[in-house]
Amino acid sequence: MQRREFIAGGIATLCLSHKAFAVAESIVKPQLQVAATSPWLANGVAVTTGGALFLNFPRFKGHQNSPSLARVTPSGLIPFPGGNWNGWKPGNDGHDTLVNVNACHHFGDNLLWVVDQGAPQGEKPSPGAAKLVAFDASSGETVKVIRFDEKALPAGGALNDLRIHGSSVYVTDSGLGGLLIHDLISGKTIRRLSENKLLRKPESIDQKGYRGRILEDKNGKRPSVHSDVIEVSPDGKWLYYATPTGPLYRIPTASLHDTGLNNDALERRIEKVADIPSVGGSAIDAAGNIYLSNVEKRSVDILLPDGRLETLVQDEKLMTPDALVIAEGWIYVPAPQIEYLADNNKGKDKTLGPWKIYRFAFTP
């Protein structure tokens, strides 16, 4: 991959250079289709190789009367995997139930991975409640549960999203800012770049909604979500990350695994990829093209080599577009309306069900 770099503020600023140019030039703007409808706020979707869909439902304030995870069937949504996992109620410690699932993923091996923050929004999780769980996507059998001690996930940390490459599970912490790396073979977890300034929301940038509206609660407090978006390059050499306000950065995964490098040394390995608008989620394809859900434009964009975003699809229905999934010629995108939650909308929850998950045809 060719690249052009210059140094700005001590950080290498990178311009991607791959076949995104050809992609952008050949785009015929696609049309949205409804892939699934939910009576609950859904901000994540997973699609199996066979086309089965799963949705996750975070328990934001005012949105706690839902299952945490469900499978989409012709007759409606069915809580998944069933049993105790879907039995959380207020007062439950969340150790063996799904409490506040912020993401779900399928990586092609028949496992459905979920990221459970372990407590409803604004509450402190009980010890061991914040976890990653892998279920057999067909049977619902629990295959693996990964929990974190206070060294890996300190108080105030919040598991946000994950990606897997080889035996490494990469997780963003949006509560404090930081990266967790869990090795599936050894069972060990390391925490990297904890509370580093380049993994925390820049104080000079506000998180925005549609047409640049600044998000804030009834008291004028603005959200401060830290490292959130995460991708790993197809060859596993680079980890990309961003806060919801940007910028988008990348760092060599080899550096993250090198425990001989401290935070200061790691920071020097970080490269700025591009400034981006407020985003909800991302995806990366087999060629390394990066896609972003643009909250300010209600669009799905592709990042071009010069740092510009080329719009693939733009539609008023994409209210706070979130986690993107590329599967068998389709890009799936939930529209959870997060910008209209009370904490983002001056104290007034103006979300309105049913919630939709859309998809559009696209082949890079």
Side-chain angles (χ1 to χ4, degrees):
M1 181 173 71
Q2 297 178 344
R3 65 183 188 178
R4 294 172 291 146
E5 295 182 6
F6 63 95
I7 301 300
I11 304 168
T13 299
L14 177 82
C15 291
L16 299 179
S17 179
H18 41 54
K19 70 175 186 177
F21 271 142
V23 173
E25 292 172 355
S26 64
I27 289 171
V28 175
K29 294 297 190 292
Q31 298 297 312
L32 291 180
Q33 297 181 6
V34 176
T37 300
S38 167
W40 309 291
L41 188 159
N43 74 335
V45 56
V47 185
T48 70
T49 305
L53 267 65
F54 297 85
L55 308 181
N56 69 264
F57 315 101
R59 286 194 165 102
F60 295 123
K61 295 175 184 176
H63 294 266
Q64 296 189 9
N65 296 323
S66 68
S68 291
L69 188 68
R71 180 169 182 158
V72 180
T73 74
S75 58
L77 302 182
I78 298 177
F80 185 89
N84 190 63
W85 281 114
N86 295 107
W88 180 86
K89 294 180 179 179
N92 182 285
D93 66 9
H95 192 270
D96 296 311
T97 56
L98 296 176
V99 185
N100 187 9
V101 175
N102 192 60
C104 62
H105 293 285
H106 179 267
F107 297 107
D109 55 2
N110 202 42
L111 293 182
L112 181 70
W113 285 87
V114 301
V115 180
D116 183 9
Q117 295 186 342
Q121 180 193 23
E123 299 182 22
K124 181 180 178 181
S126 301
K131 55 193 174 289
L132 309 177
V133 187
F135 299 105
D136 185 293
S138 300
S139 68
E141 178 185 355
T142 305
V143 177
K144 183 174 288 292
V145 180
I146 301 172
R147 305 185 194 272
F148 304 97
D149 59 23
E150 291 186 357
K151 184 177 181 180
L153 189 66
L159 305 176
N160 190 283
D161 206 351
L162 69 82
R163 295 295 185 268
I164 298 177
H165 190 277
S167 63
S168 296
V169 181
Y170 300 93
V171 187
T172 44
D173 174 358
S174 60
L176 298 172
L179 297 169
L180 286 69
I181 306 171
H182 178 84
D183 187 273
L184 290 169
I185 297 175
S186 69
K188 296 181 179 180
T189 302
I190 58 175
R191 181 178 179 87
R192 308 294 273 154
L193 292 162
S194 184
E195 299 187 65
N196 183 277
K197 65 180 183 295
L198 295 182
L199 280 88
R200 293 177 63 83
K201 187 192 81 66
E203 293 184 4
S204 60
I205 306 177
D206 289 312
Q207 191 170 339
K208 299 175 182 177
Y210 187 41
R211 295 177 175 170
R213 179 180 67 87
I214 295 175
L215 306 186
E216 57 186 8
D217 66 12
K218 63 181 179 181
N219 298 315
K221 181 180 178 181
R222 298 174 180 180
S224 187
V225 180
H226 304 299
S227 45
D228 179 341
V229 167
I230 182 172
E231 298 295 343
V232 178
S233 62
D235 60 9
K237 293 182 178 180
W238 295 95
L239 183 141
Y240 294 84
Y241 73 88
T243 70
T245 63
L248 177 69
Y249 294 104
R250 74 175 194 172
I251 185 171
T253 54
S255 298
L256 291 172
H257 286 276
D258 185 353
T259 55
L261 297 175
N262 61 21
N263 274 355
D264 290 339
L266 279 178
E267 182 179 320
R268 292 192 289 271
R269 307 292 176 93
I270 295 173
E271 299 177 354
K272 180 179 175 181
V273 178
D275 291 311
I276 57 175
S278 291
V279 298
S282 65
I284 192 168
D285 66 20
N289 298 310
I290 294 177
Y291 305 81
L292 298 170
S293 52
N294 186 333
V295 172
E296 297 180 44
K297 285 179 57 180
R298 292 186 176 171
S299 65
V300 176
D301 302 337
I302 184 171
L303 183 63
L304 297 180
D306 62 1
R308 290 181 299 115
L309 294 179
E310 179 76 20
T311 298
L312 299 181
V313 64
Q314 184 176 14
D315 196 297
E316 293 269 334
K317 295 189 289 290
L318 293 178
M319 290 182 280
T320 328
D322 210 314
L324 301 175
V325 172
I326 301 173
E328 299 180 346
W330 297 92
I331 293 182
Y332 291 78
V333 50
Q337 308 173 38
I338 289 174
E339 65 191 276
Y340 296 119
L341 292 170
D343 281 351
N344 295 330
N345 194 47
K346 298 183 182 296
K348 297 181 180 180
D349 189 329
K350 290 190 176 181
T351 60
L352 183 65
W355 283 264
K356 303 291 181 65
I357 287 76
Y358 297 97
R359 71 176 187 175
F360 60 93
F362 182 70
T363 303

